[in-house]
Amino acid sequence: MTFDQILFYCLAAIAIISALMVITRRNPVHSAMFLITTLFSVAGIYLQLHAEFLAAVQVIVYVGGIMVLFLFVIMLVNLEVVSTERRFNKQWIIALIASAVLLVEFGYVIVRGGKSSLLPPVTGPAQDLTRKNSEQIGLMLYQNYMLPFEIASLLLLVAIIGAVILAKRRLASDK
Amino acid sequence: MADVEEKVITALHDHDTFLDSSELIINMGPQHPATHGVYRVRLHLDGEKVLGAESYIGYLHRGVEKLGEHGDYRHYGPILDRMDYVASVSNNLGYCEAVEKLLGVQIPPRAQYLRVILTELQRIASHLVWLGTHAMDIGAMTIFLYCFREREKILNIFEKYFGARLTTNSFRIGGLQFDTYDGFEAECLDFCNDFPRRIAEYEQILSDNRIWIGRTRGIGILKAEDAIALGVTGPVLRGSGVKFDIRKAFPYECYADLDFDIPIGEMGDTYDRYLVRNEEMRQSRRIVMQAIEKLPDGPIMGKVTKVIRPPAGEVYHAIEAPKGELGFFVVSDGTTTPYRTRIRPPSFVNLQALPPMVRGQLVADVVAIIGTIDIVLGEIDR
Amino acid sequence: MVTTTEYLILAAALFTIGVIGVLTRRNIIIIFMSIELILNAVNINLVAFSNYWQQFTGQIYALFVITVAAAEAAVGLGIIIALFRNKETVNADEIDLLKW
Amino acid sequence: MVEYFLIPAVQILIIFLVLLLFVAYATYLERKVVAFMQVRLGPMRVGPYGLLQPIADAVKLMFKEDIVPAGADKWIFMFAPVITMIPAFTVFSVIPFSDSHTTVFGYPVHLYITDVNVGILFVLALSSIGVFGIILGGWSSNSKYPLLGSLRSAAQMVSYEVAMGFAIVSVLIYSRSLSMIDIVNAQKDMGWWFAVIQPIGFFIYLICGVAETNRAPFDLPEAESELVAGFHTEYSGFRFAIYFMAEYANMILISSIAATLFWGGWLSPFPNVKALSFLQVVPGVVWFFLKVFFFMYLYIWLRATLPRFRYDQLMRVGWKYLIPISIGNVILTAVLRLYFRT
């Protein structure tokens, strides 16, 4: 087993265990903590895949931005009753069965795909992922993917406005 | 008044909060760095916005009023030192004058001037404590130590004169116990000559500071009519633009002979009160300098019998203490013990203005407003 | 050397866990977190394929997914706050009216 | 093996220990400097001139009882200070103290732990984690003042991070690299510190840096007069010490980044002026620490001088002034860079 593999299995184990914790913890703050752990190990996996820029973005945006927002909202809507309530909804057995089916499907596809090498071979000139990662991503974003980039920015703008309007306190005159 | 009360009550039952669910109730105090003692204010918050406030007092209650009815007239003085403990001298002045009024005693001019000098120095010291703690509440920590540096000079004079720094006591019914020590005048003048430079220093740090202005301008506005309705006195009243000072309105001691101005504010916000108190320190300095110049020779004790036995009757006498009108209502039944000693402490009455002032402000402003009212818990709880 | 298949297995596991979370939990905030898990699983796939083909496209796609996740979290949490304000609950199965 | 594991491990250990010492003496520096500004002496009792005061403080805090409030979320409460401290110390692994290197036992050793090509992103990423320790510490205390403090700090740190990021971007436009070493070298090539080229970005970074570390006048999360001690009201003993250390480590960190990005890191002042080349006799490390010291002094100076902002004023400054100005600065810089390509 190489160092690479040991690292991968550690990260994967952390990711999966904490993901399981996310969906089983009673307290949303604990769930959020474990989600942060998952996000970190996913960032580590990005590093293994030579995506340094993406790993940094993952931590900055997900951990530093989205999860702070999550914690903020959890604290705002903090209910005392949460700790005594049922955790799962009534149809959880059906949900588990459905998910099991999904997992089996995934497993089948991956095992089959892995064995018969269904993945098409590399097409086009290979790009060197290891050199100047952020610079190359930047160039591609602003040249090849200009339109999606602009659309993404528009989406964020819409999200900002939408979030503000949704969360805004309703004025007395509106009621 | 009823209007103000109405506002406070509606504030407490107004449930228009951020999540339309529950308001947050915070107990500020009795253990809190910014409540200036063991004072507790219960804040009803919507996020950071204050919906209402209720004061809970009495943590420092020592039965000062009741103690006055158990000793003879002279014994009350040292107890009163502990009332407004940052302005002990003023407490004694009010009480002694009330009893003198009851007795009908005239005190000698030298004693009058000395009393004025000492109480005005005490006013400066008290205002310095106020400025230091107020600025510290708002986050400017250095000014606190600068203020205490100057206060130290006053306390050194006090220590030499009274033999004590905090609970000073030399005012007696009929005059003073001690005459001045050698060099008293020189030391007072020395302080007064140095003092304008120091006030300029404080104002240089604070007055034009944009953060300071942002934290005090328009915060805790008390309109003149509200201030009068609430019975507020002292710098808080004058900050609201009402030109009322007992030293001018009902001159006692030798204030009629002295020349000084009464500064008033315009808007009645925290910044105005800050300016008013700063100006009051300057005016007190003026008074001290004039009084030292005019200080007559002569006895320091009037004609008072060994045992004080005022004729049956009652008297109310108020002085302008650093924090406002400090009134003493003394009832005599003709014996050597007062029948009733009722105190009207300025902090207690001024504190009433807190709930209407903090309504609609933010949590951070509450400490600024508590600071600007300038309360001393020893005086509130008595 | 870690093969692409192993990354895909990890992604599949995370995806399924996310789906279980969405389907079984009552607390809407945790449902949201499960959705983040699903998005992350997808991102792992994208980046793994990007590594396999030695192309940046996958990474850039993942970048867009993160952008969408950010937008989604902002709006979603806004909805939760609005919901909580009106219904005083964050349980998905108690929010069963189309209009109130 | 030695090159990949042993040397970095030793380097990390040395830098960690040196940093701990720096953090301890940063508290001493602060107390002394503030004391002198306030016409008093500061710590004088422990050791000559109170020099052993930080050690005495550390010992005291170690032996204090570690109180966990009733109803607190015990695990999160115990873990939260560590979350704040770890990133504060980890970020120093990409701070270049100097570019000079020596040979130890035949192996080349640099005066920095590592140089990664996403250096500044790494810094931003890790510094955005520190806020969790504050939020969780405040939340898990099961007390109202800490909760208010942590909500304040969450909002504050998230909003000021935006402007700070844009201030850094304006530097990156000139440096054309995210690596900390390359950023300093770019300043060497240009012959100017970026603070001269990017004054607006520099000031925005400074303001945001003070706000990020929750220091006066932006010390709302721990505003003593309002929220008692903010998010760490319920903490005592060693856990409080960890928060305290993290705060000072963050101050040193922000100062180091300011020195690296805007004041040319280990470069001597005006590296291109021939007449000043004698300054290069002084080793780069010394220049670096002098610069860091200056920024630390600035922190203390601000604390001794300014009153505290109010929460809404803070948000207004952040969102209405700093962020628009910093975005405008980035656009202006980009346009200038495009038209005056050098």
Side-chain angles (χ1 to χ4, degrees), chain B residues 26-164:
Chain B
I26 272 200
N27 272 309
M28 199 178 247
Q31 296 290 328
H32 190 281
T35 52
H36 296 215
V38 278
Y39 166 58
R40 171 175 159 216
V41 54
R42 197 154 171 260
L43 294 173
H44 297 249
L45 298 181
D46 164 20
E48 294 249 340
K49 202 175 138 208
V50 180
L51 299 174
E54 296 149 76
S55 293
Y56 291 82
I57 58 170
Y59 293 94
L60 201 61
H61 183 67
R62 291 157 301 175
V64 170
E65 285 183 1
K66 195 72 190 161
L67 284 170
E69 298 159 18
H70 284 271
D72 83 18
Y73 279 91
R74 283 197 176 107
H75 285 164
Y76 202 21
I79 295 165
L80 289 173
D81 290 342
R82 275 110 184 130
M83 205 173 68
D84 179 355
Y85 42 75
V86 297
S88 308
V89 181
S90 307
N91 297 340
N92 275 309
L93 179 71
Y95 174 67
C96 291
E97 284 190 352
V99 179
E100 280 153 13
K101 221 175 183 177
L102 202 59
L103 283 167
V105 176
Q106 194 67 39
I107 72 161
R110 183 171 172 83
Q112 286 193 11
Y113 274 93
L114 274 176
R115 279 180 174 188
V116 166
I117 292 168
L118 291 165
T119 43
E120 290 303 325
L121 282 176
Q122 180 73 84
R123 187 187 311 278
I124 295 174
S126 169
H127 280 1
L128 283 172
V129 173
W130 160 79
L131 179 60
T133 51
H134 182 45
M136 190 112 140
D137 285 345
I138 294 180
M141 62 182 294
T142 302
I143 199 94
F144 178 79
L145 287 129
Y146 286 1
C147 287
F148 270 61
R149 178 185 61 194
E150 270 69 76
R151 180 173 178 262
E152 199 69 6
K153 288 183 184 163
I154 297 175
L155 290 191
N156 284 341
I157 296 173
F158 281 4
E159 192 179 4
K160 276 191 183 170
Y161 176 73
F162 292 104

Side-chain angles (χ1 to χ4, degrees), chain A residues 13-42 63 67 71, chain C residues 14 33 37, chain D residues 75-76 79 83 132 136:
Chain A
I14 294 169
I16 288 174
I17 291 168
S18 21
L20 282 171
M21 292 297 205
V22 171
I23 62 164
T24 51
R25 291 303 91 187
R26 195 181 280 280
N27 191 330
V29 175
H30 291 185
S31 288
M33 290 277 288
F34 283 112
L35 184 55
I36 292 166
T37 321
T38 311
L39 295 172
F40 262 111
S41 34
V42 171
V63 181
M67 290 319 292
L71 281 175
Chain C
L14 281 181
M33 291 188 205
L37 275 179
Chain D
W75 286 104
I76 293 186
F79 195 51
I83 302 178
F132 282 104
L136 293 170

Side-chain angles (χ1 to χ4, degrees), chain A residues 2 25 35 37 46 49-50 69 71 76 90 121 128 130 134 145 147 167:
Chain A
T2 60
R25 291 303 91 187
L35 184 55
T37 321
Y46 290 163
L49 291 165
H50 307 296
L69 211 59
L71 281 175
L76 274 181
K90 287 167 204 142
D128 189 0
T130 49
S134 17
Y145 294 91
L147 186 64

Side-chain angles (χ1 to χ4, degrees), chain D residues 79 81-91 126 246:
Chain D
F79 195 51
V82 185
I83 302 178
T84 314
M85 194 182 79
I86 289 175
F89 280 83
T90 313
V91 178
L126 279 180

